[in-house]
Amino acid sequence: MGIKGLQSFVQNSCSNVCSTVNLRTLAARNKSSYPESTPTIVVDAMGCLRTWYTPNDWVHGGQWKEYLCSLQTFISAFQAAGIQLVFIFDGVVENTKRQEWVKRRLRDNKEISKIFDFIKANGQQPGRNMFFIPSGISTFTKSALRSLGQEVIISQVEGDYEVAAHGLQHQCLGILGEDSDYLIFNTVPYFSVSKLCLASLETLMYSRENLCKELRLQLSHLPLLACLLGNDVIPENTVACFQRKCMASYHSQNSDQNKRAQVICAVAAFISKLQCSQHGLRQVECMLPLWFDKTLLQKGIALYILPQQNSPWLSLELPQGNPERNIIESSVCPYKDIVKTALSQRCNGQKVGIWNILCTGESECSNTLEDEYDSEITGQALIYRPVRQHVYAILLGTGNGSPDTCPIVKEWYVYPGNQLLQPDFVQAVPLSIAVGIPSIQNLWTSNSPDIQRERLYAFLACFHIESFTDELKALEPHIAAVCCLLIYIAVQVVSLSQKDVEAFLAQVLCLPGKSAGQLKNLQLPQVESRAVHLAYLFLRGINTVLLVNSACGSPFNIMDLMPWNTFDGKLFHHKYLQCHGGSSLEEILEGSEPLILLFKKLMKIICDACAAKNRILQDTKRRLHHSFAGHQQQARFSYQNQHHRERNQRHNFPRRGNAFGGERPNTGFHTGHCTEERQERWHGAHGYDMSYPEPASRRRGQRGRGSQYLNRWPQ
């Protein structure tokens, strides 16, 4: 939620409401008073994402290794001060908030269009004033924080309500966020994350008691003030007439106030004269338009009333706040044992993206950077819809098996041309696989020796490439997941060329050898709008992979799927420019012979899988919109000098461990394969050797090729 203009009003017009505090000092005082407890701050994670994303580069698809460093720095600053953090993320969009959610998504679409216009006109990333946070960052951040040992909670109600309730219930030091609703809740102190200086831990603290003194109100008045100013429950335009009536009888004593500040003061002055009771609320209702839903005002006030609190504006018979519901029994999923399992696993992040599908039969996804004028690429939400339809069938069943009885899921997905007037009603589609459709009970709870293979088979079947299970199982998990995604995208997007696939593949192979600092210092001569579009298509695909992985019982370790192991926006952009700019394979893969051999092998798997779907990748180069030739010539000369002595050396890359265990050496990549066994040729119908022998895992009695990676897969 949020009240338009309230926080800026407090900062600019109410000097005694804001005060600079040092969180380290507050924590020390708290520890002195309560030595048996650890000072804790509850963090509104959704309100902090923009602050946490500190990398300068954002338009290319996200600098995820840099982002991890940013999170680590943030957490370390509080740990050094002896402060424990609890991170709460939004888990649902309440039905009462859907209208405001839609309004924001449509507004974001216009901003995204401006971003692409700027890139096409200038060939550069726009300034920070046009910043658009990389899509999927909420999902990725949850996993990152858990890997860093932090407590993460997914809200079962509106996120800011749960933040305020948690802070009050656990007597936290305060709330860290950037939402004016925390000025309304009667809870612990509210600290600004946007004003936070991480080095000193100084920030602004807002006092709701002093706000009440400034406006001559009581704390119990604040929920009504929020509703009459307009919030996510009661749109501002529905109370605009009421605000004009208040302004007509209000005489400002401060001529320097802007219009919004005057409206806030006028509405507060009106409320201060009311009897703080249900009768007073009826007086307000009389001033509202006849078409206004009077119950909405009561519901809006109730959303600010925390557990064990009451409001004089509301009848005692009305629900106060958000009472617990019997979530399991009210869920649309017919498998109540599965809902119970999902509920227990939801907060620890083992199941990503499936909770709302199981409980309400709804799914949603916000904006991502996609060029609505690029007619060659369909809306990203539509590209991945066939995969989601299989997920719905796994989670919700298929009725009696006939198409007419398959469940329907309401999708609130943003894509070009969708005005979000209503959800898309999307039918579940059963998997069509020869070995039979595995039940969700088996996928989630079975301990049989073959269950991991069944989970992987079901996962790949959602992307329609289950016939390549042996080839993909022989790869490292994060590479197998990327290959799966690239095959699916290549089949779905006919304009995707071989060069595009090569760029994606090259960046995932080179990524492990790059530190966050090296990626930060990587310089790009230009920004191509199509590369940006493709990067975010891939990023949306990673989110889809996480969804399928959760539904299929986690055949992959979730950390193997995270973008800091699979994708870097700037590195992909660099490889895209190289592939379409005519660089040699040796340059693209930075002179590593093992990488080149692995690259050829993976390209052959991808081309074979596409050919099985009657999709032949075309080896076509895109014309780059801004000159790249001069830069390429200079880079090639520099590259040849740098790698002349080491191009024949064998490179070995250490096993991947903790994603946060420090920077890795910038070495090559050891594939684990015997490179002397054969040399692949750079030719064939797809540009790659088609004579690659049948995988050993299909030959009776022989150990599978690549089986040295099997211990990397979840057991």
Side-chain angles (χ1 to χ4, degrees):
M1 292 192 287
I3 301 99
K4 179 183 174 183
L6 180 60
Q7 192 144 315
S8 59
F9 165 75
V10 166
Q11 291 176 192
N12 299 325
S13 303
C14 308
S15 57
N16 62 332
V17 176
C18 316
S19 59
T20 300
V21 296
N22 189 293
L23 299 180
R24 184 179 286 106
T25 302
L26 294 180
R29 290 176 186 167
N30 181 274
K31 187 67 176 176
S32 176
S33 301
Y34 307 97
E36 70 286 352
S37 63
T38 301
T40 302
I41 291 178
V42 57
V43 182
D44 177 1
M46 299 299 289
C48 296
L49 293 176
R50 293 175 69 91
T51 301
W52 290 334
Y53 190 87
T54 57
N56 292 325
D57 300 286
W58 51 271
V59 81
H60 314 92
Q63 304 310 113
W64 298 104
K65 285 193 176 183
E66 290 183 62
Y67 181 61
L68 285 181
C69 292
S70 173
L71 289 178
Q72 179 68 78
T73 301
F74 181 87
I75 293 167
S76 297
F78 285 89
Q79 288 177 335
I83 299 174
Q84 178 180 328
L85 299 176
V86 175
F87 299 85
I88 296 183
F89 287 80
D90 283 341
V92 297
V93 174
E94 300 278 0
N95 288 331
T96 54
K97 311 289 182 66
R98 183 61 69 183
Q99 182 179 352
E100 182 63 24
W101 184 89
V102 168
K103 179 181 176 182
R104 292 178 182 178
R105 302 293 75 79
L106 297 178
R107 182 185 63 205
D108 286 345
N109 280 342
K110 296 178 181 178
E111 297 304 312
I112 290 170
S113 182
K114 293 177 183 178
I115 290 171
F116 277 101
D117 288 344
F118 184 94
I119 294 171
K120 292 172 184 177
N122 300 281
Q124 298 295 330
Q125 174 179 276
R128 195 75 178 187
N129 60 313
M130 297 179 72
F131 173 73
F132 195 87
I133 199 162
S135 57
I137 193 170
S138 172
T139 298
F140 305 145
T141 303
K142 294 168 195 169
S143 294
L145 291 172
R146 291 189 183 100
S147 295
L148 291 167
Q150 301 302 298
E151 181 179 354
V152 175
I153 297 173
I154 315 299
S155 72
Q156 296 181 20
V157 292
E158 180 67 27
D160 51 8
Y161 181 94
E162 195 143 337
V163 168
H166 185 94
L168 185 64
Q169 178 184 353
H170 296 275
Q171 298 180 330
C172 293
L173 196 62
I175 292 168
L176 185 64
E178 204 67 28
D179 189 331
S180 53
D181 276 322
Y182 297 127
L183 281 164
I184 305 300
F185 286 107
N186 188 5
T187 183
V188 295
Y190 163 38
F191 307 124
S192 169
V193 70
S194 68
K195 303 297 182 182
L196 175 66
C197 174
L198 207 55
S200 63
L201 287 186
E202 287 189 348
T203 187
L204 283 183
M205 181 177 72
Y206 300 95
S207 168
R208 55 187 71 87
E209 289 79 10
N210 287 348
L211 174 62
C212 287
K213 290 179 182 179
E214 186 76 25
L215 297 176
R216 299 179 182 178
L217 297 175
Q218 302 171 27
L219 286 173
S220 58
H221 287 142
L222 292 179
L224 178 59
L225 174 68
C227 292
L228 294 178
L229 291 177
N231 53 27
D232 288 356
V233 177
I234 303 177
E236 186 186 2
N237 62 344
T238 64
V239 289
C241 181
F242 169 82
Q243 292 175 4
R244 286 194 293 271
K245 291 178 182 178
C246 291
M247 285 287 288
S249 59
Y250 174 72
H251 302 288
S252 175
Q253 298 179 356
N254 187 350
S255 59
D256 295 332
Q257 285 183 334
N258 59 34
K259 183 177 180 181
R260 186 59 183 171
Q262 291 179 10
V263 168
I264 292 172
C265 291
V267 173
F270 172 83
I271 293 174
S272 67
K273 300 172 184 175
L274 291 174
Q275 181 183 352
C276 196
S277 65
Q278 297 172 58
H279 175 72
L281 191 62
R282 285 193 287 272
Q283 287 182 260
V284 176
E285 292 171 348
C286 292
M287 294 182 64
L288 295 170
L290 294 176
W291 48 263
F292 186 88
D293 182 0
K294 304 302 190 296
T295 63
L296 201 59
L297 192 59
Q298 298 177 39
K299 291 177 182 177
I301 293 173
L303 287 175
Y304 291 104
I305 310 306
L306 300 176
Q308 312 306 316
Q309 293 181 348
N310 293 307
S311 171
W313 305 105
L314 303 178
S315 167
L316 293 178
E317 287 75 29
L318 287 173
Q320 301 286 312
N322 291 272
E324 289 289 328
R325 299 178 302 171
N326 191 334
I327 298 173
I328 296 175
E329 291 304 318
S330 63
S331 66
V332 299
C333 177
Y335 316 117
K336 303 307 178 185
D337 56 329
I338 291 299
V339 180
K340 185 176 181 179
T341 301
L343 180 61
S344 66
Q345 294 181 345
R346 182 171 181 251
C347 285
N348 60 23
Q350 294 181 44
K351 302 298 180 187
V352 176
I354 66 173
W355 179 248
N356 288 344
I357 299 171
L358 290 171
C359 288
T360 64
E362 292 191 3
S363 181
E364 69 181 49
C365 193
S366 188
N367 309 74
T368 182
L369 289 192
E370 52 186 326
D371 186 358
E372 62 178 327
Y373 297 109
D374 186 349
S375 59
E376 294 183 347
I377 303 178
T378 312
Q380 295 173 16
L382 300 180
I383 289 172
Y384 295 110
R385 177 174 285 174
V387 180
R388 296 196 301 275
Q389 288 178 284
H390 292 318
V391 170
Y392 301 153
I394 292 173
L395 296 177
L396 302 178
T398 57
N400 60 18
S402 65
D404 294 338
T405 61
C406 284
I408 301 291
V409 173
K410 298 177 182 179
E411 285 194 345
W412 291 96
Y413 276 64
V414 181
Y415 55 86
N418 184 11
Q419 293 302 308
L420 298 170
L421 300 177
Q422 63 179 15
D424 292 335
F425 295 90
V426 179
Q427 192 168 44
V429 175
L431 293 173
S432 178
I433 52 181
V435 298
I437 302 173
S439 71
I440 189 172
Q441 285 85 355
N442 282 341
L443 290 174
W444 281 31
T445 62
S446 174
N447 294 317
S448 69
D450 296 329
I451 190 60
Q452 269 307 101
R453 182 174 180 82
E454 291 181 22
R455 288 167 178 160
L456 178 62
Y457 193 84
F459 174 95
L460 296 176
C462 289
F463 293 93
H464 308 147
I465 56 170
E466 66 276 8
S467 59
F468 284 80
T469 299
D470 288 336
E471 290 87 339
L472 295 172
K473 179 67 174 177
L475 304 173
E476 286 204 73
H478 75 293
I479 294 179
V482 169
C483 287
C484 169
L485 183 55
L486 290 178
I487 293 167
Y488 181 82
I489 295 174
V491 172
Q492 294 291 321
V493 182
V494 295
S495 64
L496 197 78
S497 71
Q498 183 174 298
K499 295 299 182 188
D500 298 327
V501 175
E502 289 172 359
F504 278 119
L505 203 53
Q507 72 86 27
V508 76
L509 293 181
C510 293
L511 181 59
K514 305 288 185 185
S515 68
Q518 289 171 317
L519 293 168
K520 179 179 180 179
N521 294 328
L522 180 63
Q523 298 298 312
L524 297 175
Q526 65 198 66
V527 175
E528 287 288 321
S529 63
R530 185 172 180 275
V532 171
H533 196 166
L534 289 177
Y536 278 86
L537 172 64
F538 186 86
L539 203 59
R540 175 71 71 91
I542 293 178
N543 276 280
T544 305
V545 165
L546 288 167
L547 174 69
V548 179
N549 189 59
S550 294
C552 293
S554 302
F556 292 89
N557 183 313
I558 191 173
M559 293 306 292
D560 281 324
L561 305 176
M562 288 296 124
W564 45 87
N565 288 325
T566 57
F567 184 74
D568 180 87
K570 208 159 54 160
L571 184 60
F572 165 70
H573 216 96
H574 177 60
K575 300 304 178 185
Y576 179 92
L577 295 177
Q578 285 185 315
C579 289
H580 286 282
S583 294
S584 68
L585 186 62
E586 187 179 23
E587 290 174 298
I588 294 170
L589 294 172
E590 302 173 6
S592 170
E593 289 183 11
L595 278 187
I596 292 172
L597 289 172
L598 180 57
F599 175 88
K600 291 180 181 180
K601 174 188 174 178
L602 298 178
M603 279 301 301
K604 183 194 178 299
I605 293 174
I606 293 171
C607 289
D608 282 353
C610 289
K613 302 290 184 183
N614 297 316
R615 170 76 162 96
I616 307 301
L617 291 172
Q618 301 299 316
D619 188 16
T620 55
K621 298 176 184 175
R622 288 274 173 169
R623 183 179 67 85
L624 302 178
H625 287 85
H626 299 269
S627 175
F628 189 58
H631 173 82
Q632 276 292 91
Q633 184 176 4
Q634 181 180 1
R636 186 174 295 116
F637 177 78
S638 173
Y639 166 84
Q640 289 170 347
N641 281 316
Q642 178 182 355
H643 294 278
H644 177 71
R645 295 181 179 177
E646 51 186 64
R647 72 174 53 165
N648 293 320
Q649 293 180 4
R650 181 98 176 182
H651 294 271
N652 293 304
F653 187 74
R655 308 286 286 184
R656 289 186 307 119
N658 185 347
F660 310 95
E663 296 185 352
R664 301 174 183 155
N666 185 18
T667 65
F669 183 95
H670 177 51
T671 66
H673 298 284
C674 181
T675 57
E676 289 78 20
E677 182 174 326
R678 67 177 174 79
Q679 290 291 326
E680 293 182 302
R681 298 188 299 277
W682 186 257
H683 68 276
H686 307 290
Y688 299 92
D689 181 15
M690 296 295 104
S691 61
Y692 192 86
E694 181 183 18
S697 56
R698 293 183 177 178
R699 300 200 291 269
R700 187 183 302 273
Q702 296 187 35
R703 186 178 179 208
R705 202 170 153 85
S707 59
Q708 61 270 36
Y709 292 136
L710 298 186
N711 62 349
R712 292 292 311 283
W713 292 76
Q715 300 299 314

